[in-house]
């Protein structure tokens, strides 16, 4: 009896199964993409230095206090987190060298190439957090402050270059960052003196 | 073509596709191996990251070292308690060890990359700020000033 030749198993769909597994792994391992808020910490200064700390005018300082009950006290008045962004933007953009006006920080006039003389604010935002406050609230505050800085950067970008901040090239972005320097000082409520 | 007329026209032999899945499996194994390479085993519970809107993607993963802060995993809670602890690389340490950790991370990289070292802080939302402030002070002392607060994307506008 002549044997019929066995029909070959069509292995074309094996490739499809393998592709499905491959795509699954490609997708599954991408889910952990790391994202976060970027910050540059101030350099460490030894508290026991003989050099006295630089006197910072109270006028230039915007003090945000995070108490251990997770509530916000900004410039000695309680505030909701939703109002923080606008308060920061207002503080960063109003510039007034009048020493009697303690709500607005002072400014310096600096020259930038292509833009001429620009008023650069002396504003410093200081965050004082109690050691028992939760990290989540702290990140919300950081988020709002970063958002306020981004908003001001965008404003200046449109004012000086007529384009949004993200549309500028890196040199122009560097200039904008110098016009609105990110000065954030932090301290525990247990120690005195942050920066 | 008239030469081949005398025998019955055999169709061209079909391509064997039996080796296609082998190629694909090789690709698959490649991805399985390379994407798992830099993951540290978590000795603490997976930190519940806070939500934020102003987040940027971490560039160049090779410059980044991770610090995890969360309560320890179930198995280790007998040893370390249930308060949040700090995990550096593969072990749970105190904040004072951060300086050595940074130095090791710097030495493990090229001299060119050392200035670019960024520290990614993956901290659980419910951690009290005391630990975070200690970590930041240690990082400042070790001159590791570029940090990322790891966070999840928040979609709703407040």
């Amino acid at each position: 009896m002549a044997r019929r030749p066995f029909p070959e198993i069509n292995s074309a769909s094996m490739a499809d199964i393998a592709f499905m597994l491959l795509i699954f792994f490609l997708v599954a391992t991408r889910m952990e993409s790391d994202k976060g808020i970027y910050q540059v910490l101030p350099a460490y200064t030894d508290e026991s230095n003989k050099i006295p700390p630089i006197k910072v005018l109270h006028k230039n300082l915007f003090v945000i206090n995070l108490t251990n009950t997770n509530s916000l006290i900004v410039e000695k008045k309680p505030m909701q987190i939703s109002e923080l962004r606008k308060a920061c933007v207002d503080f960063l953009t109003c510039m007034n060298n009048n020493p009697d006006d303690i709500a607005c920080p002072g400014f310096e006039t600096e020259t930038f190439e292509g833009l001429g003389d620009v008023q650069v604010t002396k504003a410093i935002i200081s965050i004082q957090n109690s050691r028992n406050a939760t990290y989540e609230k702290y990140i919300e505050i950081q988020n709002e402050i970063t958002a306020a800085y981004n908003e001001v950067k965008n404003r200046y970008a449109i004012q000086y270059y007529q384009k949004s901040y993200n549309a500028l090239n890196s040199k122009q972005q560097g200039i904008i960052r110098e016009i609105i320097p990110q000065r954030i000082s932090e301290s525990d409520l247990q120690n005195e003196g942050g920066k | 073509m008239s030469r081949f007329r005398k025998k019955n026209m055999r169709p061209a032999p079909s391509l064997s596709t039996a080796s296609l899945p082998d190629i694909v499996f090789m690709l698959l194994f490649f991805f399985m191996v390379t994407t798992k390479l830099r993951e540290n085993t978590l000795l603490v519970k997976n930190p519940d990251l806070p939500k934020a809107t102003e987040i940027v993607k971490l560039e160049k993963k090779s410059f980044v070292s991770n610090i995890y802060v969360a309560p320890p995993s179930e198995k280790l809670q007998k040893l370390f308690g249930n308060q949040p602890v700090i995990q550096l690389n593969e072990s749970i340490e105190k904040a004072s060890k951060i300086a050595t950790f940074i130095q090791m991370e710097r030495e493990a990289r090229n001299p060119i990359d050392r200035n670019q070292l960024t520290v990614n802080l993956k901290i659980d939302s419910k951690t009290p700020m005391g630990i975070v402030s200690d970590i930041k002070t240690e990082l400042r002392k070790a001159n590791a000033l570029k940090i990322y607060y790891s966070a999840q994307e928040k979609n709703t506008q407040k």
Side-chain angles (χ1 to χ4, degrees):
Chain A
M1 227 175 349
R3 270 181 161 201
R4 293 177 63 188
F6 283 104
E8 270 182 31
I9 303 176
N10 190 357
S11 54
S13 43
M14 285 271 281
D16 287 329
I17 298 173
F19 274 128
M20 292 284 292
L21 272 178
L22 176 67
I23 292 174
F24 167 73
F25 271 107
L26 272 180
V27 165
T29 49
R30 280 278 169 252
M31 293 209 301
E32 268 201 59
S33 75
D34 278 327
K35 297 178 276 207
I37 304 179
Y38 180 60
Q39 201 199 352
V40 180
L41 297 173
Y44 183 71
T45 55
D46 201 351
E47 305 293 353
S48 61
N49 254 346
K50 298 291 186 212
I51 309 168
I54 308 169
K55 250 335 195 152
V56 177
L57 287 178
H58 178 67
K59 173 179 152 70
N60 293 339
L61 213 55
F62 189 70
V63 180
I64 301 177
N65 214 318
L66 178 60
T67 69
N68 51 8
T69 51
N70 271 347
S71 50
L72 261 186
I73 297 182
V74 177
E75 292 279 272
K76 304 203 176 54
K77 289 187 290 242
M79 189 186 282
Q80 292 297 320
I81 190 97
S82 45
E83 301 162 20
L84 182 60
R85 191 184 297 201
K86 182 165 183 311
C88 285
V89 173
D90 289 340
F91 183 74
L92 292 171
T93 47
C94 85
M95 292 184 264
N96 188 338
N97 267 336
N98 184 355
D100 295 328
D101 182 2
I102 54 170
C104 283
F107 63 87
E108 285 175 327
T109 314
E110 294 182 20
T111 327
F112 292 100
E113 80 172 73
L115 302 174
D117 286 341
V118 173
Q119 295 180 335
V120 176
T121 181
K122 290 192 197 172
I124 300 177
I125 297 189
S126 160
I127 309 177
Q128 292 174 347
N129 44 52
S130 138
R131 287 181 74 90
N132 290 327
T134 36
Y135 179 66
E136 189 168 19
K137 207 63 182 174
Y138 172 77
I139 288 290
E140 278 186 46
I141 298 178
Q142 275 286 0
N143 191 40
E144 294 300 312
I145 296 177
T146 313
Y149 270 106
N150 287 343
E151 205 178 300
V152 176
K153 280 190 211 161
N154 246 336
R155 227 186 255 197
Y156 284 157
I158 295 179
Q159 181 183 342
Y160 292 113
Y161 294 108
Q162 286 78 46
K163 283 191 279 192
S164 79
Y165 181 74
N166 294 329
L168 300 175
N169 65 32
S170 57
K171 182 155 169 283
Q172 294 166 325
Q173 285 186 348
I175 293 182
I176 295 278
R177 282 199 296 268
E178 282 181 46
I179 297 180
I180 175 77
Q182 201 155 15
R183 295 194 189 108
I184 304 180
S185 143
E186 301 191 35
S187 63
D188 278 354
L189 275 182
Q190 284 184 349
N191 315 335
E192 277 301 296
K195 220 176 183 175
Chain B
M1 284 276 262
S2 52
R3 291 212 187 165
F4 299 107
R5 260 266 200 98
K6 51 173 184 143
K7 295 208 167 95
N8 40 351
M9 294 259 289
R10 276 202 235 133
S14 50
L15 278 174
S16 164
T17 53
S19 45
L20 250 187
D22 288 330
I23 299 173
V24 179
F25 278 130
M26 263 173 47
L27 262 180
L28 175 67
F29 288 138
F30 170 75
F31 276 109
M32 277 170 64
V33 164
T34 52
T35 48
K36 281 295 179 203
L37 269 182
R38 282 264 319 170
E39 287 306 315
N40 295 329
T41 44
L42 270 184
L43 297 170
V44 298
K45 290 193 190 157
N46 201 17
D48 181 20
L49 300 173
K51 296 195 175 42
T53 54
E54 305 296 313
I55 48 187
V56 289
K57 276 221 164 72
L58 254 63
E59 293 141 28
K60 303 284 179 78
K61 294 262 177 96
S62 53
F63 296 149
V64 173
S65 24
N66 295 313
I67 296 183
Y68 302 91
V69 180
S73 59
E74 307 293 344
K75 296 181 289 221
L76 296 174
Q77 275 191 6
K78 296 191 285 270
L79 208 56
F80 292 107
N82 57 359
Q83 290 308 306
V85 289
I86 307 173
Q87 177 181 344
L88 308 169
N89 275 343
E90 296 286 329
S91 53
I92 295 184
E93 306 277 0
K94 288 199 184 313
S96 42
K97 293 282 181 4
I98 288 184
T100 358
F101 165 72
I102 294 288
Q103 202 175 344
M104 277 177 4
E105 291 286 307
R106 285 210 168 112
E107 280 164 15
R109 290 178 168 80
N110 310 333
I112 322 165
D113 296 343
R114 268 176 213 168
N115 302 340
Q116 303 259 36
L117 182 70
T118 32
V119 183
N120 187 17
L121 299 172
K122 290 197 182 168
I123 306 182
D124 190 87
S125 313
K126 300 197 183 37
T127 319
M129 277 307 291
I131 300 189
V132 181
S133 306
D134 291 338
I135 296 179
K136 283 166 60 172
T137 318
E138 291 296 320
L139 286 174
R140 286 169 67 194
K141 281 189 198 164
N143 212 26
L145 300 178
K146 293 194 189 180
I147 59 171
Y148 276 93
Y149 296 109
S150 213
Q152 298 171 28
E153 181 100 49
K154 178 153 66 167
N155 286 327
T156 52
Q157 273 292 333
K158 258 200 170 162

